[in-house]
Amino acid sequence: MKRLLKAEFFKLSKEWSLWPLMLFSMVDGYLDGAVPVRYDVMITGYEMYVMRLLAGLRYEVLVCVFAAAFVYSDYKNHTLIHSFSGGFQRSQIFLAKATAFFSGILPIVLLHICVATAMAVSQNGWGIPLNDTDFLMDMSLRMLWYLAGCFCAGSCVLLAIPLTKNYFGAFGLGICMTYVIQMLGESVQEVLLYSSNVLLLAAAGRLFEKYDLI
């Protein structure tokens, strides 16, 4: 398993789509963080933090782009056959691929928040005492909701790839599934968004194990 993880993280470091998406995230955060300076508007670090979390839908689309590029390439190039021939189980291969994939998502979806918030803090401070327990809980819940949405988008594409076996099909189906789940989560219960990640990953893993996807 360690060899699989090492191989997947090496492929992640060489993935062509990761670095442009990370650069986009940093530039996007910088442009938003420069708004208070440019227009002489006072925005505290906490206000900028909340504003950037509201950009979730934009970054869910980027997650789908990254997922389709990073994961689908193994199906297209038939590189998974080397892992099978190495004696690894399909569940191990899927787990290693998913671990590297979700690790790659984190810098894409977090860099813009860090950059914009740091710029706002440097100009106007944080704005709210950090020793306030309710405030810290609110910050954590907002971040969890944001990350759950991004991970849900990734999970949807992981499931869509073996179903469509097509780059654009996986991207389109992943976006549609994410939108439907988020709409249901907002109108019914937020817990649906969190639980959907587990269910989608379980379904994608099961599909990977049962069907010939190479």
Side-chain angles (χ1 to χ4, degrees):
M1 186 65 183
K2 186 182 295 186
R3 285 165 48 204
L4 272 177
L5 286 170
K6 185 177 180 180
E8 289 299 335
F9 276 97
F10 177 77
K11 284 192 283 186
L12 177 65
S13 67
K14 300 297 182 181
E15 172 56 42
W16 67 269
S17 64
L18 177 62
W19 305 106
L21 292 174
M22 288 173 59
L23 179 62
F24 174 88
S25 182
M26 287 189 289
V27 172
D28 186 37
Y30 173 80
L31 292 176
D32 218 19
V35 168
V37 179
R38 189 183 310 158
Y39 297 102
D40 195 23
V41 178
M42 182 174 177
I43 299 178
T44 66
Y46 176 69
E47 291 170 338
M48 181 62 74
Y49 172 81
V50 173
M51 286 170 56
R52 295 312 301 169
L53 290 179
L54 295 177
L57 182 59
R58 182 190 317 167
Y59 282 86
E60 286 162 17
V61 173
L62 295 186
V63 166
C64 290
V65 171
F66 173 64
F70 179 60
V71 182
Y72 176 71
S73 62
D74 275 346
Y75 292 93
K76 181 181 178 181
N77 299 328
H78 304 286
T79 54
L80 292 174
I81 195 170
H82 299 298
S83 299
F84 292 141
S85 62
F88 295 104
Q89 298 178 0
R90 288 195 175 203
S91 58
Q92 292 177 314
I93 298 170
F94 178 79
L95 180 60
K97 173 64 71 174
T99 301
F101 166 63
F102 285 110
S103 298
I105 285 178
L106 288 175
I108 296 173
V109 302
L110 292 179
L111 277 173
H112 70 103
I113 299 174
C114 296
V115 171
T117 303
M119 291 178 67
V121 169
S122 67
Q123 294 293 322
N124 301 308
W126 184 247
I128 296 178
L130 288 174
N131 59 356
D132 188 331
T133 306
D134 293 336
F135 159 72
L136 292 175
M137 181 62 71
D138 178 69
M139 274 187 62
S140 301
L141 290 176
R142 287 177 184 273
M143 177 57 75
L144 283 174
W145 176 255
Y146 169 76
L147 289 177
C150 294
F151 281 9
C152 179
S155 300
C156 286
V157 179
L158 284 182
L159 179 60
I161 286 172
L163 288 175
T164 62
K165 299 183 182 180
N166 178 274
Y167 180 94
F168 294 105
F171 175 80
L173 181 58
I175 287 289
C176 292
M177 291 169 65
T178 302
Y179 179 76
V180 170
I181 291 172
Q182 289 224 348
M183 289 294 292
L184 291 174
E186 291 175 0
S187 60
V188 184
Q189 290 183 357
E190 292 184 359
V191 72
L192 177 66
L193 185 58
Y194 301 107
S195 61
S196 66
N197 282 294
V198 178
L199 295 175
L200 287 166
L201 280 175
R206 190 64 174 169
L207 192 62
F208 184 85
E209 291 179 26
K210 300 296 280 186
Y211 294 91
D212 184 12
L213 304 174
I214 298 180

